[in-house]
Amino acid sequence: MKVLLIGSGGREHALAWKIAASPVLDQLYCAPGNPGIAEVAACVALDVSDHAAVVAFCRDKGIDLVVVGPEAPLVAGLADDLRAAGIKVFGPSKAAAQLEGSKGFTKDLCARFDIPTGAYGRFNNAPKAKAYIREQGAPIVVKADGLAAGKGVVVAMTLDEALEAVDACFEGAFGSAGAEVVVEEYLDGEEASFFCICDGRTALPFGTAQDHKRVGDGDTGVNTGGMGAYSPAPVMTPDMVERTMRELIEPTMRGMAEIGAPFSGVLFAGLMITSDGPKLIEYNTRFGDPETQVLMMRLKDDLLLLLNAAADGMLDQVSIRWSDDPALTVVMAAKGYPASPEKGSVIKGLDETAKLPDVQIFHAGTAMKDGALVANGGRVLNVTATGKTVAEAQAKAYAAVKAIDWPGGFCRSDIGWRAVAREKASN
């Protein structure tokens, strides 16, 4: 098979690494890719916002399957234009991608189909949003309705924080994504990421993970796109997985089909496991980042065959196997992230680090400049390891971090702390 992967981050490097291992793969292209992806795929300078150019490339190269990594091309309807051109694609339609593209759309869907989530209000102006917040009190959650690269959510512990978040949205901090604001009930519990691959009719559970959104140790500081993750999520017991499928995923699949937007692709549920059970925080319509990095380390099956089965509507014919060994990834970010990451600092030592046992380094925001690998984004490297326990995977990942020569980078020192504490308590 000839495959085109869309994207350039750590998620796409992990997907490319796994797809490249498939015996049915003939050629893997990635647009635009990164220096890590270039080790396993041919990187091509395609403007993925030019859907006609993507279609032309697929026809020219005889692409059998397109895999779309990031959310923006999905929300922009790339999958629809590829399908209209007779090109097979793994990823939801523009209508189905509204589950991520509009938080208000998702909350309304939850209300209509009785999917457990926090109470909410939708607002297109600041005075009404502020009046609702004052009525509800803090803590409360303020979200820009549209895509904001993982940064449009404020978990406000005080009234002032919430009111400032509303102002930030309507004053353009998140561009058009903040033209509407969703204000939600603060949910108390433990967060988890739950993934399914879907073909419009069937949803197959595709692993669990927990990530660390806050920039600082001890889950302090501002929210980021994610500073690290581990899989599986201990809180997602077999009973909790069964409840999540029955109470959230299956009604979502039925609801999307009923409104004429059947969901095909990755359904990524951000969950809060409360005393009442799982509740939906938000849906994403693509693989998580950095959760994909740990999932790919644990997946035993051929990813390409699974994605192809989903694109063909044949998921009822396949099953998915996982390694019992946990995986953990540490995000190394450029100094100044998430506000103003410093670009251009040189990274050394990856060749030696990559030789460490049970370790994979996925490139996120890297580039080549004058023959040297340099930082070219906020989140730059995902140092990922497996072990018999989370503590062992954590130790291997941080040993690899120490072996990387990059003074311009930083990372959290406590990724996986909650799971490691659980392991110690159970011994």
Side-chain angles (χ1 to χ4, degrees):
M1 287 181 69
K2 292 180 180 177
V3 177
L4 172 63
L5 173 64
I6 304 290
S8 63
R11 162 185 50 220
E12 286 77 32
H13 188 185
L15 292 173
W17 172 75
K18 198 68 179 175
I19 290 169
S22 172
V24 301
L25 179 74
D26 295 314
Q27 176 69 56
L28 177 59
Y29 298 94
C30 188
N34 66 39
I37 294 172
E39 294 172 12
V40 294
C43 293
V44 290
L46 258 182
D47 177 3
V48 299
S49 66
D50 183 346
H51 297 183
V54 177
V55 167
F57 177 87
C58 292
R59 285 181 169 150
D60 180 52
K61 300 295 184 184
I63 297 297
D64 299 298
L65 178 67
V66 178
V67 179
V68 184
E71 60 273 21
L74 294 168
V75 171
L78 177 59
D80 304 74
D81 290 341
L82 286 164
R83 288 190 182 104
I87 296 160
K88 197 190 312 184
V89 57
F90 178 80
S93 66
K94 181 175 184 175
Q98 286 181 93
L99 280 171
E100 178 162 6
S102 169
K103 294 177 178 66
F105 170 88
T106 299
K107 297 297 276 192
D108 288 351
L109 186 92
C110 289
R112 180 173 168 184
F113 294 101
D114 296 321
I115 297 160
T117 189
Y120 73 104
R122 295 179 72 174
F123 304 97
N124 60 10
N125 67 70
K128 286 181 181 175
K130 289 180 176 181
Y132 180 82
I133 287 167
R134 289 190 180 100
E135 188 183 303
Q136 299 299 319
I140 200 162
V141 182
V142 179
K143 297 180 177 180
D145 178 71
L147 296 181
K151 298 179 182 72
V153 177
V154 174
V155 180
M157 302 312 289
T158 67
L159 217 52
D160 284 346
E161 272 184 279
L163 300 176
E164 284 168 18
V166 168
D167 284 335
C169 281
F170 287 119
E171 287 167 11
F174 307 108
S176 60
E180 184 176 319
V181 165
V182 176
V183 182
E184 294 183 9
E185 172 191 0
Y186 172 83
L187 296 175
D188 204 21
E190 186 171 345
E191 284 192 49
S193 300
F194 182 75
F195 298 85
C196 290
I197 55 171
C198 312
D199 65 4
R201 296 189 310 274
T202 302
L204 275 186
F206 195 80
T208 65
Q210 282 178 303
D211 76 338
H212 297 260
K213 283 274 186 261
R214 301 280 183 173
V215 73
D217 282 7
D219 294 326
T220 57
V222 296
N223 266 340
T224 70
M227 295 300 294
Y230 53 93
S231 174
V235 73
M236 293 303 291
T237 60
D239 175 62
M240 202 57 68
V241 167
E242 190 275 328
R243 282 193 65 181
T244 301
M245 289 299 293
R246 177 166 39 87
E247 297 174 24
L248 281 78
I249 304 298
E250 288 165 11
T252 298
M253 292 290 288
R254 286 195 300 272
M256 292 300 285
E258 188 175 313
I259 66 170
F263 190 88
S264 174
V266 178
L267 192 55
F268 163 12
L271 304 175
M272 186 67 78
I273 308 304
T274 71
S275 55
D276 297 327
K279 290 192 177 183
L280 184 72
I281 299 172
E282 63 182 12
Y283 274 131
N284 296 308
T285 61
R286 37 73 192 177
F287 285 108
D289 191 348
E291 294 96 338
T292 302
Q293 291 80 315
V294 287
L295 290 174
M296 292 304 107
M297 295 287 276
R298 295 185 54 238
L299 179 63
K300 282 184 166 182
D301 289 301
D302 185 326
L303 177 66
L304 180 51
L305 290 180
L306 291 171
L307 301 184
N308 196 54
D312 283 338
M314 303 285 284
L315 282 180
D316 57 350
Q317 308 291 312
V318 301
S319 58
I320 302 171
R321 297 169 304 151
W322 298 94
S323 165
D324 290 333
D325 290 354
L328 181 143
T329 190
V330 177
V331 170
M332 296 188 75
K335 285 180 179 174
Y337 177 77
S340 50
E342 299 167 11
K343 294 186 179 183
S345 54
V346 175
I347 303 163
K348 297 177 183 173
L350 291 194
D351 288 345
E352 288 306 308
T353 312
K355 294 173 186 172
L356 294 170
D358 306 319
V359 169
Q360 288 290 332
I361 296 165
F362 298 116
H363 292 229
T366 63
M368 296 301 295
K369 186 178 179 183
D370 302 325
L373 186 72
V374 299
N376 191 44
R379 296 186 295 171
V380 176
L381 296 171
N382 308 135
V383 183
T384 315
T386 56
K388 293 297 177 191
T389 62
V390 178
E392 186 180 304
Q394 184 192 57
K396 288 177 181 175
Y398 279 110
V401 166
K402 283 182 183 154
I404 295 170
D405 179 6
W406 182 31
F410 77 98
C411 65
R412 280 182 55 166
S413 67
D414 64 346
I415 300 302
W417 65 267
R418 187 184 277 114
V420 171
R422 264 199 177 102
E423 285 178 348
K424 284 179 181 169
S426 65
N427 287 340

